Amino acid sequence: MKNTAPIGIFGGTFDPIHHGHLRLAQEALEQCSMSGIRFIPSGTPPHRTVPLATAEHRLSMVRLAIHGQPGFAVDEREAHRTEKCYSFDTFSALRAELGAEQPLCLLLGSDAFLQFHTWHQWRQLIELTHLVVMQRPGRPVGNVIAQADATLRQQYGTRLAPSPRLLHESPGGHIVVLDMPQLDISATDIRSRAAQNKNLRYLLPDSVAHYIHTHKLYKS
Ligand code: ATP
């Protein structure tokens, strides 16, 4: 059986990127022995309201946040798109570029995972990639999966892998749930603090806090 280090793919609005995102990526990299993580800031996401900061600002903040961190890279492919852009299309393109054998892992917080059945072509998406789900404060997967959508619950039951080592042995199809230090930080809360001129320190990298301040982001 082949054994290839997986690549982590981390999509989000990153409006702005914060320490919750960064710690999630670092935990996935280490716990799953991945070769690297690609951060893919969204353009116009299909599931949610339009981000407040432009794609250029959100990309710049991701670049600042991951600067100098080995294994972390930014992928701009979604950010520049103005039409709706689905993860299924992004992963189809990544699969074509990286080859049929390369293990891919879609990184998700547990809140996002519990909505996964609403994503465009989600069943086909799990064939293209593994899912690495990180427990998020207040949304422990084990506790809430029983109340989740029945089709998602069924996929979870059949695809749950006992160890991240299995992610190295196939290109996609498994679900792994990992623990991380619980950081109750959200971009929504950071935007609200920025709008009230509150200090953002220790919620996100200083370079990103400085960028928000300099560019007067999230002011109404
Ligand atoms: P918002 O508050 O605007 O909804 P967010 O902080 O949840 O934003 P997103 O860019 O929407 O950030 O999230 C991207 C991914 O990061 C999602 O899978 C989400 O579950 C995960 N995530 C965000 N914040 C945390 C956190 N504090 N801990 C763990 N995962 C997180």
Side-chain angles (χ1 to χ4, degrees):
M1 201 178 303
K2 279 218 165 194
N3 198 317
T4 311
I7 298 173
I9 308 293
F10 192 18
T13 42
F14 303 124
D15 189 23
I17 189 164
H18 54 67
H19 281 142
H21 298 130
L22 293 162
R23 193 63 224 171
L24 182 156
Q26 187 63 28
E27 291 287 337
L29 184 76
E30 288 175 10
Q31 293 190 43
C32 303
S33 304
M34 292 178 178
S35 58
I37 307 281
R38 294 190 188 192
F39 289 74
I40 309 192
S42 60
T44 305
H47 283 112
R48 38 188 301 165
T49 47
V50 175
L52 283 184
T54 62
E56 262 328 309
H57 281 317
R58 291 183 290 111
L59 266 176
S60 299
M61 291 190 281
V62 173
R63 281 193 211 102
L64 285 170
I66 67 173
H67 180 73
Q69 181 56 27
F72 284 6
V74 62
D75 182 324
E76 304 190 6
R77 73 182 67 218
E78 286 191 10
H80 299 300
R81 294 180 58 172
T82 46
E83 74 278 20
K84 283 195 171 179
C85 179
Y86 293 104
S87 297
F88 177 76
D89 298 329
T90 300
F91 274 85
S92 301
L94 286 165
R95 178 57 68 213
E97 285 163 30
L98 298 167
E101 301 288 311
Q102 171 63 53
L104 296 176
C105 293
L106 166 57
L107 312 187
L108 286 170
S110 48
D111 58 322
F113 173 67
L114 291 170
Q115 297 305 317
F116 188 68
H117 60 285
T118 66
W119 292 26
H120 179 61
Q121 294 194 281
W122 66 280
R123 283 194 189 77
Q124 292 90 330
L125 181 53
I126 318 185
E127 299 294 341
L128 284 175
T129 179
H130 302 297
L131 301 190
V132 170
V133 182
M134 284 285 176
Q135 307 277 11
R136 206 173 162 179
R139 309 308 298 268
V141 177
N143 290 4
V144 288
I145 195 70
Q147 288 102 49
D149 174 82
T151 46
L152 182 65
R153 203 166 61 232
Q154 192 257 335
Q155 291 289 326
Y156 177 81
T158 54
R159 294 177 181 276
L160 190 64
S163 158
R165 289 307 306 171
L166 287 175
L167 305 178
H168 292 236
E169 293 172 8
S170 63
H174 289 308
I175 299 175
V176 161
V177 179
L178 302 178
D179 286 321
M180 65 175 269
Q182 298 292 279
L183 300 170
D184 197 0
I185 301 172
S186 73
T188 304
D189 175 62
I190 292 173
R191 292 193 298 273
S192 150
R193 287 172 194 261
Q196 299 166 62
N197 282 319
K198 287 191 175 162
N199 193 317
L200 305 181
R201 233 178 157 190
Y202 312 124
L203 295 170
L204 71 185
D206 283 349
S207 54
V208 179
H210 183 69
Y211 187 96
I212 291 171
H213 185 70
T214 306
H215 293 273
K216 300 184 171 51
L217 300 185
Y218 312 121
K219 301 277 182 229
S220 43

